[in-house]
PDB file of all heavy atoms in Angstrom:
ATOM      1  N   ASP A 113      -9.995 -61.878 -11.278  1.00  0.00           N
ATOM      2  CA  ASP A 113     -11.464 -62.002 -11.380  1.00  0.00           C
ATOM      3  C   ASP A 113     -12.159 -60.770 -10.773  1.00  0.00           C
ATOM      4  O   ASP A 113     -13.135 -60.287 -11.320  1.00  0.00           O
ATOM      5  CB  ASP A 113     -11.958 -63.275 -10.688  1.00  0.00           C
ATOM      6  CG  ASP A 113     -11.553 -64.532 -11.398  1.00  0.00           C
ATOM      7  OD1 ASP A 113     -11.190 -64.465 -12.626  1.00  0.00           O
ATOM      8  OD2 ASP A 113     -11.579 -65.607 -10.761  1.00  0.00           O
ATOM      9  N   GLU A 114     -11.610 -60.292  -9.658  1.00  0.00           N
ATOM     10  CA  GLU A 114     -12.188 -59.100  -9.020  1.00  0.00           C
ATOM     11  C   GLU A 114     -12.061 -57.897  -9.929  1.00  0.00           C
ATOM     12  O   GLU A 114     -12.999 -57.079 -10.051  1.00  0.00           O
ATOM     13  CB  GLU A 114     -11.503 -58.833  -7.681  1.00  0.00           C
ATOM     14  CG  GLU A 114     -12.133 -57.686  -6.916  1.00  0.00           C
ATOM     15  CD  GLU A 114     -11.459 -57.420  -5.553  1.00  0.00           C
ATOM     16  OE1 GLU A 114     -10.403 -58.036  -5.261  1.00  0.00           O
ATOM     17  OE2 GLU A 114     -11.975 -56.571  -4.828  1.00  0.00           O
ATOM     18  N   TYR A 115     -10.917 -57.745 -10.620  1.00  0.00           N
ATOM     19  CA  TYR A 115     -10.725 -56.636 -11.545  1.00  0.00           C
ATOM     20  C   TYR A 115     -11.766 -56.706 -12.677  1.00  0.00           C
ATOM     21  O   TYR A 115     -12.386 -55.695 -13.018  1.00  0.00           O
ATOM     22  CB  TYR A 115      -9.307 -56.651 -12.136  1.00  0.00           C
ATOM     23  CG  TYR A 115      -9.006 -55.465 -13.015  1.00  0.00           C
ATOM     24  CD1 TYR A 115      -8.365 -54.351 -12.515  1.00  0.00           C
ATOM     25  CD2 TYR A 115      -9.414 -55.434 -14.376  1.00  0.00           C
ATOM     26  CE1 TYR A 115      -8.106 -53.242 -13.328  1.00  0.00           C
ATOM     27  CE2 TYR A 115      -9.175 -54.325 -15.164  1.00  0.00           C
ATOM     28  CZ  TYR A 115      -8.522 -53.240 -14.626  1.00  0.00           C
ATOM     29  OH  TYR A 115      -8.280 -52.140 -15.414  1.00  0.00           O
ATOM     30  N   VAL A 116     -11.934 -57.882 -13.249  1.00  0.00           N
ATOM     31  CA  VAL A 116     -12.914 -58.041 -14.327  1.00  0.00           C
ATOM     32  C   VAL A 116     -14.309 -57.665 -13.890  1.00  0.00           C
ATOM     33  O   VAL A 116     -15.036 -56.954 -14.593  1.00  0.00           O
ATOM     34  CB  VAL A 116     -12.856 -59.491 -14.890  1.00  0.00           C
ATOM     35  CG1 VAL A 116     -13.967 -59.731 -15.880  1.00  0.00           C
ATOM     36  CG2 VAL A 116     -11.497 -59.774 -15.533  1.00  0.00           C
ATOM     37  N   ALA A 117     -14.694 -58.103 -12.689  1.00  0.00           N
ATOM     38  CA  ALA A 117     -16.045 -57.776 -12.177  1.00  0.00           C
ATOM     39  C   ALA A 117     -16.189 -56.276 -11.939  1.00  0.00           C
ATOM     40  O   ALA A 117     -17.205 -55.679 -12.338  1.00  0.00           O
ATOM     41  CB  ALA A 117     -16.291 -58.551 -10.891  1.00  0.00           C
ATOM     42  N   LEU A 118     -15.199 -55.675 -11.301  1.00  0.00           N
ATOM     43  CA  LEU A 118     -15.266 -54.248 -11.019  1.00  0.00           C
ATOM     44  C   LEU A 118     -15.244 -53.423 -12.322  1.00  0.00           C
ATOM     45  O   LEU A 118     -15.987 -52.442 -12.440  1.00  0.00           O
ATOM     46  CB  LEU A 118     -14.135 -53.813 -10.109  1.00  0.00           C
ATOM     47  CG  LEU A 118     -14.329 -54.202  -8.656  1.00  0.00           C
ATOM     48  CD1 LEU A 118     -13.027 -54.136  -7.878  1.00  0.00           C
ATOM     49  CD2 LEU A 118     -15.369 -53.310  -7.980  1.00  0.00           C
ATOM     50  N   ALA A 119     -14.431 -53.821 -13.269  1.00  0.00           N
ATOM     51  CA  ALA A 119     -14.381 -53.125 -14.546  1.00  0.00           C
ATOM     52  C   ALA A 119     -15.720 -53.248 -15.274  1.00  0.00           C
ATOM     53  O   ALA A 119     -16.061 -52.402 -16.100  1.00  0.00           O
ATOM     54  CB  ALA A 119     -13.236 -53.649 -15.423  1.00  0.00           C
ATOM     55  N   GLY A 120     -16.470 -54.312 -14.954  1.00  0.00           N
ATOM     56  CA  GLY A 120     -17.799 -54.504 -15.538  1.00  0.00           C
ATOM     57  C   GLY A 120     -18.890 -53.749 -14.744  1.00  0.00           C
ATOM     58  O   GLY A 120     -20.052 -53.847 -15.107  1.00  0.00           O
ATOM     59  N   GLY A 121     -18.490 -53.047 -13.687  1.00  0.00           N
ATOM     60  CA  GLY A 121     -19.426 -52.221 -12.947  1.00  0.00           C
ATOM     61  C   GLY A 121     -20.099 -52.891 -11.769  1.00  0.00           C
ATOM     62  O   GLY A 121     -21.121 -52.398 -11.273  1.00  0.00           O
ATOM     63  N   VAL A 122     -19.523 -53.998 -11.240  1.00  0.00           N
ATOM     64  CA  VAL A 122     -20.124 -54.692 -10.098  1.00  0.00           C
ATOM     65  C   VAL A 122     -19.079 -54.863  -8.980  1.00  0.00           C
ATOM     66  O   VAL A 122     -17.996 -55.393  -9.238  1.00  0.00           O
ATOM     67  CB  VAL A 122     -20.660 -56.077 -10.539  1.00  0.00           C
ATOM     68  CG1 VAL A 122     -21.287 -56.787  -9.358  1.00  0.00           C
ATOM     69  CG2 VAL A 122     -21.628 -55.948 -11.680  1.00  0.00           C
ATOM     70  N   SER A 123     -19.418 -54.433  -7.781  1.00  0.00           N
ATOM     71  CA  SER A 123     -18.515 -54.553  -6.649  1.00  0.00           C
ATOM     72  C   SER A 123     -18.493 -56.004  -6.135  1.00  0.00           C
ATOM     73  O   SER A 123     -19.365 -56.793  -6.484  1.00  0.00           O
ATOM     74  CB  SER A 123     -18.959 -53.620  -5.520  1.00  0.00           C
ATOM     75  OG  SER A 123     -20.082 -54.163  -4.865  1.00  0.00           O
ATOM     76  N   PRO A 124     -17.547 -56.335  -5.243  1.00  0.00           N
ATOM     77  CA  PRO A 124     -17.520 -57.679  -4.652  1.00  0.00           C
ATOM     78  C   PRO A 124     -18.815 -58.018  -3.897  1.00  0.00           C
ATOM     79  O   PRO A 124     -19.176 -59.178  -3.784  1.00  0.00           O
ATOM     80  CB  PRO A 124     -16.330 -57.627  -3.703  1.00  0.00           C
ATOM     81  CG  PRO A 124     -15.453 -56.557  -4.223  1.00  0.00           C
ATOM     82  CD  PRO A 124     -16.356 -55.540  -4.849  1.00  0.00           C
ATOM     83  N   GLU A 125     -19.496 -56.994  -3.400  1.00  0.00           N
ATOM     84  CA  GLU A 125     -20.768 -57.212  -2.681  1.00  0.00           C
ATOM     85  C   GLU A 125     -21.941 -57.303  -3.645  1.00  0.00           C
ATOM     86  O   GLU A 125     -23.074 -57.506  -3.215  1.00  0.00           O
ATOM     87  CB  GLU A 125     -21.019 -56.054  -1.724  1.00  0.00           C
ATOM     88  CG  GLU A 125     -19.989 -55.907  -0.608  1.00  0.00           C
ATOM     89  CD  GLU A 125     -18.740 -55.187  -1.068  1.00  0.00           C
ATOM     90  OE1 GLU A 125     -18.805 -54.305  -1.957  1.00  0.00           O
ATOM     91  OE2 GLU A 125     -17.646 -55.515  -0.564  1.00  0.00           O
ATOM     92  N   GLY A 126     -21.720 -57.134  -4.943  1.00  0.00           N
ATOM     93  CA  GLY A 126     -22.775 -57.213  -5.922  1.00  0.00           C
ATOM     94  C   GLY A 126     -23.498 -55.898  -6.199  1.00  0.00           C
ATOM     95  O   GLY A 126     -24.476 -55.866  -6.940  1.00  0.00           O
ATOM     96  N   THR A 127     -23.004 -54.815  -5.600  1.00  0.00           N
ATOM     97  CA  THR A 127     -23.619 -53.517  -5.845  1.00  0.00           C
ATOM     98  C   THR A 127     -22.967 -52.844  -7.034  1.00  0.00           C
ATOM     99  O   THR A 127     -21.786 -53.103  -7.334  1.00  0.00           O
ATOM    100  CB  THR A 127     -23.508 -52.608  -4.588  1.00  0.00           C
ATOM    101  OG1 THR A 127     -22.113 -52.450  -4.271  1.00  0.00           O
ATOM    102  CG2 THR A 127     -24.240 -53.195  -3.399  1.00  0.00           C
ATOM    103  N   PRO A 128     -23.677 -51.932  -7.728  1.00  0.00           N
ATOM    104  CA  PRO A 128     -23.096 -51.272  -8.864  1.00  0.00           C
ATOM    105  C   PRO A 128     -21.988 -50.267  -8.466  1.00  0.00           C
ATOM    106  O   PRO A 128     -22.082 -49.647  -7.406  1.00  0.00           O
ATOM    107  CB  PRO A 128     -24.261 -50.553  -9.528  1.00  0.00           C
ATOM    108  CG  PRO A 128     -25.321 -50.491  -8.500  1.00  0.00           C
ATOM    109  CD  PRO A 128     -25.072 -51.566  -7.504  1.00  0.00           C
ATOM    110  N   VAL A 129     -21.003 -50.138  -9.308  1.00  0.00           N
ATOM    111  CA  VAL A 129     -19.932 -49.154  -9.120  1.00  0.00           C
ATOM    112  C   VAL A 129     -19.790 -48.348 -10.412  1.00  0.00           C
ATOM    113  O   VAL A 129     -20.034 -48.863 -11.499  1.00  0.00           O
ATOM    114  CB  VAL A 129     -18.580 -49.782  -8.734  1.00  0.00           C
ATOM    115  CG1 VAL A 129     -18.628 -50.427  -7.390  1.00  0.00           C
ATOM    116  CG2 VAL A 129     -18.095 -50.731  -9.783  1.00  0.00           C
ATOM    117  N   THR A 130     -19.408 -47.120 -10.255  1.00  0.00           N
ATOM    118  CA  THR A 130     -19.046 -46.279 -11.398  1.00  0.00           C
ATOM    119  C   THR A 130     -17.629 -46.638 -11.838  1.00  0.00           C
ATOM    120  O   THR A 130     -16.739 -46.755 -10.993  1.00  0.00           O
ATOM    121  CB  THR A 130     -19.105 -44.789 -11.015  1.00  0.00           C
ATOM    122  OG1 THR A 130     -20.404 -44.493 -10.528  1.00  0.00           O
ATOM    123  CG2 THR A 130     -18.768 -43.888 -12.191  1.00  0.00           C
ATOM    124  N   VAL A 131     -17.444 -46.832 -13.127  1.00  0.00           N
ATOM    125  CA  VAL A 131     -16.112 -47.201 -13.628  1.00  0.00           C
ATOM    126  C   VAL A 131     -15.539 -46.018 -14.381  1.00  0.00           C
ATOM    127  O   VAL A 131     -16.173 -45.403 -15.237  1.00  0.00           O
ATOM    128  CB  VAL A 131     -16.188 -48.414 -14.574  1.00  0.00           C
ATOM    129  CG1 VAL A 131     -14.798 -48.764 -15.106  1.00  0.00           C
ATOM    130  CG2 VAL A 131     -16.811 -49.605 -13.869  1.00  0.00           C
ATOM    131  N   THR A 132     -14.320 -45.651 -14.012  1.00  0.00           N
ATOM    132  CA  THR A 132     -13.580 -44.586 -14.693  1.00  0.00           C
ATOM    133  C   THR A 132     -12.181 -45.099 -14.906  1.00  0.00           C
ATOM    134  O   THR A 132     -11.742 -46.037 -14.241  1.00  0.00           O
ATOM    135  CB  THR A 132     -13.600 -43.284 -13.867  1.00  0.00           C
ATOM    136  OG1 THR A 132     -13.009 -42.231 -14.608  1.00  0.00           O
ATOM    137  CG2 THR A 132     -12.863 -43.421 -12.544  1.00  0.00           C
ATOM    138  N   ARG A 133     -11.483 -44.501 -15.817  1.00  0.00           N
ATOM    139  CA  ARG A 133     -10.099 -44.959 -16.122  1.00  0.00           C
ATOM    140  C   ARG A 133      -9.103 -43.987 -15.501  1.00  0.00           C
ATOM    141  O   ARG A 133      -9.386 -42.809 -15.302  1.00  0.00           O
ATOM    142  CB  ARG A 133      -9.861 -45.015 -17.624  1.00  0.00           C
ATOM    143  CG  ARG A 133     -10.506 -46.219 -18.253  1.00  0.00           C
ATOM    144  CD  ARG A 133      -9.665 -46.621 -19.451  1.00  0.00           C
ATOM    145  NE  ARG A 133     -10.186 -47.832 -20.043  1.00  0.00           N
ATOM    146  CZ  ARG A 133      -9.658 -49.019 -19.842  1.00  0.00           C
ATOM    147  NH1 ARG A 133      -8.593 -49.170 -19.089  1.00  0.00           N
ATOM    148  NH2 ARG A 133     -10.168 -50.078 -20.438  1.00  0.00           N
TER     149      ARG A 133
END
Side-chain angles (χ1 to χ4, degrees):
D113 291 341
E114 185 179 7
Y115 185 96
V116 172
L118 284 163
V122 180
S123 75
E125 297 80 31
T127 58
V129 295
T130 302
V131 180
T132 186
R133 284 210 176 259

